[in-house]
Amino acid sequence: EVPNGEKSMVTLYDGTKVWLNSGTTLRYPATFSKQNREVYIEGEAYFDVTKDLEKPFVVHAGQMEVRVFGTRFNVYAYPADDQLFTTLEAGKVSVLVGGSNQSVSMEPGEQFGFSKSSRTAQLVKVNTGLFTSWKDNILRFEDAALSEVLKKMERWYGVKFIIDEKLDTSDRYTMSVKTESLREILNVLSRTTQMKYEIENDVVKIKRP
């Protein structure tokens, strides 16, 4: 388990490396079975899977199941979020959504997204770096709504945002967060969005000015 505000990396029994983002839980056996290599994820993780054509690697992520033999990909599956994503950087994967017998095959540079509420899925081409840079301690946004920025910053900095319902969170941002402090980023946001903030321990109140 990785708490908010932290990240971690583990090496599994077969040599597979898994980077875990903030607020993520990974469950895996001490040794894999003879049939497959199964792990369970809640949150976000980047996998660099050791190739084994005789024993597939299976990631269970909520209502999404990702099956591979050896590849590099990112899984985003926080229980509190409606959207599930698999982003493929290298190799090939197949994704199976709960309640469906049909799997979707992915190629490098593609992202599979699934909405839990509407039960709809889509496969699109993306810049994978936007979705995998977090493992290198860079949080990137491209034309992202303020609401999305704040949601990811909560986990990144390990804080709780209390947002005024009257605040317009539709402003969009393209930016990268590297070594900047929470206060530095909030200062940037407050100069471009009509908002002010107060920090008290690990709680941040964001209001209209």
Side-chain angles (χ1 to χ4, degrees):
E1 295 184 7
V2 181
N4 284 342
E6 297 183 23
K7 289 176 286 296
S8 183
M9 193 275 279
V10 296
T11 301
L12 304 184
Y13 174 74
D14 66 336
T16 291
K17 292 181 173 60
V18 187
W19 286 259
L20 305 173
N21 206 348
S22 304
T24 296
T25 300
L26 173 69
R27 289 195 297 116
Y28 59 94
T31 58
F32 291 118
S33 71
K34 295 180 179 180
Q35 290 75 34
N36 54 38
R37 297 170 287 168
E38 290 187 290
V39 301
Y40 296 79
I41 187 82
E42 288 186 357
E44 183 170 22
Y46 179 92
F47 294 85
D48 187 347
V49 178
T50 298
K51 191 172 184 178
D52 186 342
L53 296 179
E54 296 181 355
K55 190 182 293 186
F57 192 94
V58 182
V59 180
H60 299 276
Q63 299 177 43
M64 187 168 58
E65 178 184 299
V66 185
R67 183 175 292 265
V68 305
F69 290 97
T71 186
R72 299 196 306 274
F73 62 100
N74 194 79
V75 173
Y76 182 99
Y78 285 99
D81 289 5
D82 178 59
Q83 293 284 336
L84 306 175
F85 294 103
T86 296
T87 307
L88 182 58
E89 197 168 66
K92 290 186 178 182
V93 306
S94 62
V95 182
L96 183 68
V97 176
S100 171
N101 294 322
Q102 291 185 331
S103 63
V104 177
S105 297
M106 296 178 59
E107 300 288 338
E110 292 182 336
Q111 181 182 75
F112 176 84
F114 177 74
S115 168
K116 292 183 283 188
S117 60
S118 65
R119 306 290 300 175
T120 56
Q122 63 174 353
L123 185 65
V124 296
K125 282 281 188 180
V126 297
N127 175 2
T128 59
L130 288 172
F131 305 94
T132 62
S133 61
W134 62 266
K135 73 180 179 64
D136 299 315
N137 294 313
I138 302 174
L139 186 61
R140 296 176 60 187
F141 299 99
E142 185 175 276
D143 196 33
L146 178 60
S147 56
E148 179 70 16
V149 172
L150 294 177
K151 180 173 66 175
K152 291 192 175 182
M153 282 177 56
E154 264 194 332
R155 298 179 181 129
W156 191 260
Y157 290 105
V159 297
K160 172 65 177 177
F161 284 117
I162 299 177
I163 304 172
D164 187 345
E165 293 182 356
K166 298 178 181 178
L167 180 69
D168 182 5
T169 58
S170 63
D171 288 350
R172 309 193 77 83
Y173 286 88
T174 296
M175 65 179 189
S176 296
V177 179
K178 299 179 182 178
T179 59
E180 294 83 0
S181 68
L182 173 62
R183 192 177 295 275
E184 286 175 320
I185 296 300
L186 289 174
N187 283 339
V188 171
L189 297 178
S190 63
R191 287 198 294 268
T192 53
T193 294
Q194 292 296 309
M195 57 171 269
K196 62 179 182 178
Y197 67 90
E198 298 175 3
I199 302 177
E200 184 175 342
N201 298 321
D202 59 351
V203 175
V204 182
K205 295 180 180 179
I206 300 181
K207 304 176 181 179
R208 291 183 62 186

